[in-house]
Amino acid sequence: SYVLTQPPSVSLAPGNTARISCGGDDIGSKNVHWYQQKPGQAPVLVIFYDTDRPSAIPERFSGSNSGNTATLTVSRVEAGDEADYYCQVWDSYSDHPVFGGGTKLTVL
Amino acid sequence: QVQFVQSGAEVRRPGASVKISCETSGYTFTDYAIHWARQAPGQRLEWMGWINGGSSITKYSQKLQGRLSITTDTSATTSYMELSNLTSEDTAVYYCARGRIYFDPWGQGTLVTVSS
């Protein structure tokens, strides 16, 4: 089964730029989707098809994908961005979705 | 506005079954698939299976095959997830979500606790 690897945590001060990585074998050939999950809440889609953003998501959220790494970038980080972030791809070999282990974003 | 509303928390004994509902609104039910996923305490999201809202064709994870059943009631625009022969390892928050390749929106989650 396809494996996605994320760093367990990322910490930074407000106003800085957070970059959360998602590693996978030739992930650049796949479409990557990102979810934000705040404590006690359901996941919310923040990026789909590598770079697209739902209309309700601020422009501060962006995505990129190339080679073996996809990246979620959160610019001008705010306290309200504190959450777990999960990447997800569709594994065409097994024909089901695969999630990364999640990255906890902490705003200091 | 698309909404997914799940049934409330459940407590079960080991060996029992649980059935959770996911009531949807705000879109054409038969145009989308519904997926089910779960999240054990402190763990990553785990995909469980999905059902085609139009055809009712299902696909389940190999891990849960044989214990999992996902169904729909098209007239009620509701999906159901039933998991049988529960163990403590099935204690988790269970989610439904709309989509085929990515998932949006998600239900609010249903906590299932398996304890003797």
Side-chain angles (χ1 to χ4, degrees), chain A residues 8-90:
Chain A
S9 63
V10 169
S11 301
L12 73 171
N16 287 327
T17 297
R19 295 179 177 84
I20 298 172
S21 64
C22 176
D25 184 33
D26 194 25
I27 195 174
S29 67
K30 300 180 181 297
N31 295 308
V32 180
H33 319 289
W34 291 91
Y35 304 89
Q36 176 193 68
Q37 186 179 33
K38 296 183 178 180
Q41 298 184 21
V44 172
L45 180 72
V46 293
I47 293 290
F48 60 102
Y49 287 124
D50 297 340
T51 60
D52 292 343
R53 191 180 58 250
S55 58
I57 302 302
E59 291 183 6
R60 299 185 296 106
F61 288 80
S62 63
S64 63
N65 184 19
S66 178
N68 293 317
T69 304
T71 303
L72 173 70
T73 301
V74 186
S75 304
R76 303 182 300 284
V77 166
E78 306 171 355
D81 298 329
E82 275 206 348
D84 292 327
Y85 291 85
Y86 293 89
C87 58
Q88 176 248 316
V89 301
W90 190 274

Side-chain angles (χ1 to χ4, degrees), chain B residues 94-115:
Chain B
Y94 289 74
Y95 295 100
C96 58
R98 185 186 74 165
R100 177 63 177 96
I101 302 297
Y102 61 86
F103 311 116
D104 179 50
W106 296 60
Q108 82 276 19
T110 298
L111 175 62
V112 174
T113 303
V114 182
S115 174

